[in-house]
Short mmCIF file of all heavy atoms in Angstrom, two decimals:
data_model
loop_
_atom_site.label_atom_id
_atom_site.label_comp_id
_atom_site.label_asym_id
_atom_site.label_seq_id
_atom_site.Cartn_x
_atom_site.Cartn_y
_atom_site.Cartn_z
N MET A 139 138.64 93.98 127.18
CA MET A 139 137.27 93.53 126.95
C MET A 139 137.20 92.01 127.11
O MET A 139 137.24 91.26 126.14
CB MET A 139 136.79 93.97 125.56
CG MET A 139 136.81 95.48 125.40
SD MET A 139 136.44 96.07 123.72
CE MET A 139 134.70 95.61 123.59
N GLY A 140 137.11 91.56 128.37
CA GLY A 140 137.10 90.14 128.68
C GLY A 140 135.70 89.58 128.78
O GLY A 140 134.80 89.94 128.01
N TYR A 141 135.50 88.69 129.75
CA TYR A 141 134.19 88.03 129.91
C TYR A 141 133.12 89.05 130.30
O TYR A 141 133.32 89.87 131.20
CB TYR A 141 134.27 86.94 130.97
CG TYR A 141 132.91 86.33 131.28
CD1 TYR A 141 132.36 85.36 130.46
CD2 TYR A 141 132.17 86.76 132.39
CE1 TYR A 141 131.11 84.82 130.72
CE2 TYR A 141 130.93 86.22 132.66
CZ TYR A 141 130.40 85.26 131.82
OH TYR A 141 129.16 84.73 132.08
N ASP A 142 131.99 88.97 129.61
CA ASP A 142 130.86 89.86 129.88
C ASP A 142 129.58 89.05 129.68
O ASP A 142 129.26 88.66 128.56
CB ASP A 142 130.89 91.06 128.93
CG ASP A 142 129.82 92.10 129.25
OD1 ASP A 142 128.80 91.75 129.87
OD2 ASP A 142 130.00 93.27 128.85
N SER A 143 128.87 88.79 130.76
CA SER A 143 127.67 87.95 130.68
C SER A 143 126.59 88.55 129.79
O SER A 143 125.77 87.83 129.22
CB SER A 143 127.10 87.71 132.09
OG SER A 143 126.72 88.94 132.70
N SER A 144 126.58 89.87 129.65
CA SER A 144 125.57 90.52 128.82
C SER A 144 125.87 90.39 127.33
O SER A 144 124.99 90.60 126.49
CB SER A 144 125.45 92.01 129.19
OG SER A 144 126.64 92.71 128.85
N LEU A 145 127.11 90.01 126.99
CA LEU A 145 127.49 89.88 125.58
C LEU A 145 127.63 88.43 125.12
O LEU A 145 127.42 88.13 123.95
CB LEU A 145 128.83 90.59 125.32
CG LEU A 145 128.84 92.12 125.36
CD1 LEU A 145 130.25 92.64 125.14
CD2 LEU A 145 127.92 92.70 124.29
N VAL A 146 127.99 87.53 126.03
CA VAL A 146 128.34 86.17 125.62
C VAL A 146 127.14 85.30 125.31
O VAL A 146 127.25 84.31 124.56
CB VAL A 146 129.23 85.50 126.71
CG1 VAL A 146 128.39 85.09 127.91
CG2 VAL A 146 129.98 84.32 126.14
N ASP A 147 125.99 85.61 125.85
CA ASP A 147 124.80 84.75 125.71
C ASP A 147 124.43 84.53 124.24
O ASP A 147 124.49 85.45 123.43
CB ASP A 147 123.62 85.39 126.43
CG ASP A 147 122.65 84.36 126.99
OD1 ASP A 147 123.11 83.26 127.35
OD2 ASP A 147 121.45 84.65 127.07
N GLY A 148 124.08 83.29 123.91
CA GLY A 148 123.61 82.99 122.56
C GLY A 148 124.61 82.20 121.73
O GLY A 148 125.58 81.63 122.25
N GLU A 149 124.37 82.17 120.44
CA GLU A 149 125.12 81.31 119.52
C GLU A 149 126.31 82.01 118.88
O GLU A 149 126.24 83.19 118.53
CB GLU A 149 124.19 80.78 118.43
CG GLU A 149 124.80 79.71 117.55
CD GLU A 149 123.78 79.09 116.59
OE1 GLU A 149 123.04 78.19 117.03
OE2 GLU A 149 123.73 79.53 115.44
N TRP A 150 127.40 81.25 118.72
CA TRP A 150 128.63 81.74 118.09
C TRP A 150 129.13 80.72 117.07
O TRP A 150 129.06 79.51 117.32
CB TRP A 150 129.72 81.96 119.13
CG TRP A 150 129.43 82.99 120.17
CD1 TRP A 150 128.73 82.82 121.33
CD2 TRP A 150 129.84 84.36 120.15
NE1 TRP A 150 128.68 84.00 122.03
CE2 TRP A 150 129.35 84.96 121.34
CE3 TRP A 150 130.58 85.14 119.26
CZ2 TRP A 150 129.58 86.30 121.64
CZ3 TRP A 150 130.81 86.47 119.56
CH2 TRP A 150 130.31 87.04 120.74
N SER A 151 129.64 81.21 115.95
CA SER A 151 130.24 80.33 114.93
C SER A 151 131.76 80.34 115.07
O SER A 151 132.37 81.41 115.14
CB SER A 151 129.87 80.83 113.52
OG SER A 151 128.50 80.79 113.29
N MET A 152 132.35 79.16 115.12
CA MET A 152 133.80 79.09 115.20
C MET A 152 134.39 79.36 113.82
O MET A 152 133.97 78.78 112.82
CB MET A 152 134.27 77.73 115.70
CG MET A 152 135.78 77.67 115.95
SD MET A 152 136.37 76.04 116.48
CE MET A 152 135.67 75.94 118.12
N VAL A 153 135.38 80.26 113.76
CA VAL A 153 135.98 80.63 112.48
C VAL A 153 137.49 80.39 112.44
O VAL A 153 138.09 80.42 111.37
CB VAL A 153 135.67 82.10 112.13
CG1 VAL A 153 134.18 82.30 111.89
CG2 VAL A 153 136.17 83.05 113.22
N LEU A 154 138.09 80.17 113.59
CA LEU A 154 139.52 79.88 113.63
C LEU A 154 139.82 79.07 114.89
O LEU A 154 139.34 79.39 115.97
CB LEU A 154 140.34 81.17 113.63
CG LEU A 154 141.87 81.02 113.58
CD1 LEU A 154 142.50 82.14 112.74
CD2 LEU A 154 142.48 81.01 114.98
N SER A 155 140.61 78.03 114.70
CA SER A 155 140.99 77.16 115.82
C SER A 155 142.45 76.76 115.67
O SER A 155 142.86 76.27 114.62
CB SER A 155 140.11 75.90 115.84
OG SER A 155 140.58 74.98 116.79
N ARG A 156 143.21 77.01 116.70
CA ARG A 156 144.61 76.56 116.72
C ARG A 156 144.82 75.78 118.01
O ARG A 156 144.86 76.33 119.10
CB ARG A 156 145.56 77.76 116.66
CG ARG A 156 147.03 77.34 116.46
CD ARG A 156 147.95 78.55 116.42
NE ARG A 156 148.04 79.19 117.72
CZ ARG A 156 148.42 80.45 117.90
NH1 ARG A 156 148.71 81.21 116.86
NH2 ARG A 156 148.49 80.96 119.11
N GLU A 157 144.93 74.48 117.86
CA GLU A 157 145.05 73.61 119.03
C GLU A 157 146.41 73.75 119.69
O GLU A 157 147.43 73.98 119.03
CB GLU A 157 144.81 72.16 118.64
CG GLU A 157 143.40 71.88 118.15
CD GLU A 157 142.33 72.14 119.19
OE1 GLU A 157 142.68 72.16 120.38
OE2 GLU A 157 141.17 72.32 118.82
N GLY A 158 146.42 73.61 121.01
CA GLY A 158 147.67 73.65 121.75
C GLY A 158 148.37 72.30 121.74
O GLY A 158 147.79 71.29 121.34
#
Side-chain angles (χ1 to χ4, degrees):
M139 300 174 68
Y141 174 81
D142 186 336
S143 61
S144 66
L145 289 177
V146 75
D147 211 31
E149 189 173 277
W150 297 85
S151 297
M152 187 183 290
V153 294
L154 184 144
S155 172
R156 189 180 69 201
E157 295 298 340

